[in-house]
Amino acid sequence: MTTNGSQQNGPVGDVPEDANEHCPGTQSERAGKAEACAGCPNQQICATAPKGPDPDLVDIAERMQTVKHKILVLSGKGGVGKSTFASQLAFALAGKDKQVGLLDIDICGPSIPKMLGLEGQEIHQSNLGWSPVYVEDNLGVMSIGFMLPDPDEAVIWRGPRKNGLIKQFLKDVYWGELDYLIVDAPPGTSDEHISIAQYLKATSVDGAIVVTTPQDVSIIDVRKEINFCQKVGIPVLGVVENMSGLLQPLSSLKFKSITINGDEEDVTAAVLQEIQRSSNLLQSVYTYSEVFYASSGGAEKMAKDMKVPFLGRVPLDPGLSRAAEEGRSCFSDGSCKLSASYLNSIIGKIQCTVEASADSSSKV
């Protein structure tokens, strides 16, 4: 049963996350006026908003003309290290002398300023638009985190206001000439994802990288994320399995003696001394623990089942965690060389795929 003719072919335009059932869509001629709109919190806005194609899409497409490649970093579930991957991807590409922009559209949980070492910075405006905050001359960052007077302040916004800020980021930020724009999205498939997909599709987005951890509780949600990309027409560049086991040099471990009563004694020095006395070979050995149980085969099997590329695994590395906390690149020193080698392999595949695709398109 339908409340108006537009329901036969589905809603026209966006459907706000707090809309009533059978919403005709924000761009429908019946928006705000249909029976289904009665009592909806968006009714007045929809009834008075202009209908038809969004004129801002033209401005977004024009602004994005100076950006060669646009990559979304997505995850179906929070806490899988998506923002850590996005920030290190930006650091790695900038380290290869690429001009890079990192756009944080996680409106309610912006962590990118901290992960890039930019906490406390502010956005400035010029006659060309909002200016990104720069880590280096070739790495600029934009986030709502730069707009909050207090970093502990909660952002409590409905969907339309979030969408408006995302649109403003794309339309009004002056990036200049970029080789790569990395977009760090919040987890899930909510309003922000629908908006960024709609706004970027008109500008030839290269695709999405989907980040997950190995266990089923994450894989289940990531399947939905991949389905979302397929439905909205965004290519999936590949899946990254993050936190894929805890890998550490034996010499960096801490050892404790624990009694049946729960008393602890640090015996690290004695154990390492005994290891060194027993064998010098053990000094170069890494220990591996499977922290998350991949009961269904992990990300690689899921990627194979869903016919999308599997880009590789990144182990849990305390050095990488510290680099993210301190807002620095894990490629700049030897403190997290283990995870850096895994990340470099994955990022190399991404770069090859994106740039090869661009070369093929230019020859057509």
Side-chain angles (χ1 to χ4, degrees):
M1 180 176 178
T2 62
T3 56
N4 59 64
S6 67
Q7 293 301 315
Q8 294 176 358
N9 299 313
V12 180
D14 293 338
V15 174
E17 62 180 3
D18 53 353
N20 290 349
E21 188 177 4
H22 303 309
C23 170
T26 56
Q27 296 300 309
S28 168
E29 291 297 326
R30 299 287 297 156
K33 303 170 186 176
E35 289 180 22
C37 300
C40 177
N42 308 292
Q43 184 175 13
Q44 184 62 29
I45 297 172
C46 291
T48 57
K51 305 300 185 290
D54 188 342
D56 287 330
L57 293 180
V58 176
D59 294 334
I60 291 172
E62 184 176 348
R63 180 69 85 177
M64 291 290 109
Q65 282 181 353
T66 61
V67 180
K68 291 181 183 176
H69 304 294
K70 305 164 207 68
I71 298 174
L72 293 171
V73 180
L74 306 175
S75 67
K77 194 164 194 66
V80 300
K82 168 188 56 60
S83 294
T84 298
F85 182 84
S87 60
Q88 295 303 323
L89 172 61
F91 273 129
L93 293 171
K96 297 180 180 183
D97 294 325
K98 302 294 183 180
Q99 294 292 326
V100 182
L102 178 55
L103 174 58
D104 180 8
I105 64 166
D106 192 343
I107 307 301
C108 295
S111 54
I112 289 298
K114 180 173 182 61
M115 291 187 174
L116 274 292
L118 298 172
E119 285 183 297
Q121 299 294 318
E122 296 180 355
I123 296 171
H124 299 284
Q125 191 156 8
S126 70
N127 60 337
L128 296 173
W130 286 348
S131 296
V133 178
Y134 284 89
V135 183
E136 303 288 349
D137 289 343
N138 65 333
L139 177 53
V141 181
M142 180 57 67
S143 170
I144 192 178
F146 300 135
M147 302 177 176
L148 301 177
D150 181 350
D152 296 330
E153 182 177 335
V155 179
I156 307 172
W157 289 5
R158 290 188 184 275
R161 193 174 178 190
K162 293 179 184 178
N163 297 344
L165 182 61
I166 293 170
K167 182 187 289 186
Q168 201 166 2
F169 278 157
L170 293 173
K171 181 169 67 76
D172 294 343
V173 175
Y174 178 68
W175 297 99
E177 297 283 340
L178 283 186
D179 294 303
Y180 287 90
L181 177 64
I182 312 300
V183 181
D184 181 39
T189 54
S190 56
D191 266 13
E192 294 94 320
H193 301 80
I194 297 169
S195 296
I196 199 70
Q198 176 189 349
Y199 301 150
L200 284 185
K201 269 185 70 177
T203 70
S204 301
V205 60
D206 291 84
I209 301 161
V210 182
V211 181
T212 184
T213 46
Q215 76 275 36
D216 256 12
V217 70
S218 178
I219 295 291
I220 290 168
D221 289 340
V222 167
R223 287 180 179 273
K224 298 171 186 174
E225 194 78 48
I226 293 172
N227 279 324
F228 167 82
C229 290
Q230 292 169 342
K231 285 180 179 178
V232 299
I234 293 178
V236 177
L237 298 174
V239 176
V240 174
E241 184 177 278
N242 198 23
M243 306 184 196
S244 184
L246 176 61
L247 198 58
Q248 290 182 273
L250 182 64
S251 57
S252 73
L253 295 180
K254 303 295 183 184
F255 296 89
K256 290 185 178 182
S257 173
I258 302 175
T259 70
I260 194 170
N261 296 322
D263 297 328
E264 297 181 359
E265 179 186 358
D266 189 326
V267 294
T268 301
V271 171
L272 291 179
Q273 185 177 10
E274 182 62 24
I275 289 172
Q276 186 173 13
R277 186 188 66 79
S278 300
S279 173
N280 288 328
L281 172 65
L282 294 178
Q283 300 302 304
S284 60
V285 169
Y286 285 84
T287 65
Y288 175 81
S289 294
E290 193 174 80
V291 179
F292 299 114
Y293 176 53
S295 58
S296 64
E300 185 171 12
K301 184 177 185 302
M302 180 208 64
K304 183 178 180 181
D305 291 344
M306 300 194 76
K307 297 179 172 56
V308 295
F310 178 67
L311 296 172
R313 299 177 176 86
V314 181
L316 266 171
D317 179 0
L320 176 58
S321 175
R322 178 173 292 182
E325 283 287 308
E326 296 174 352
R328 58 181 173 81
S329 168
C330 79
F331 308 101
S332 59
D333 57 39
S335 63
C336 48
K337 61 182 179 181
L338 182 63
S339 53
S341 64
Y342 285 88
L343 284 166
N344 266 324
S345 173
I346 291 169
I347 291 166
K349 293 176 185 176
I350 295 167
Q351 195 174 356
C352 284
T353 298
V354 167
E355 295 181 6
S357 177
D359 289 341
S360 299
S361 299
S362 64
K363 293 174 182 177
V364 175

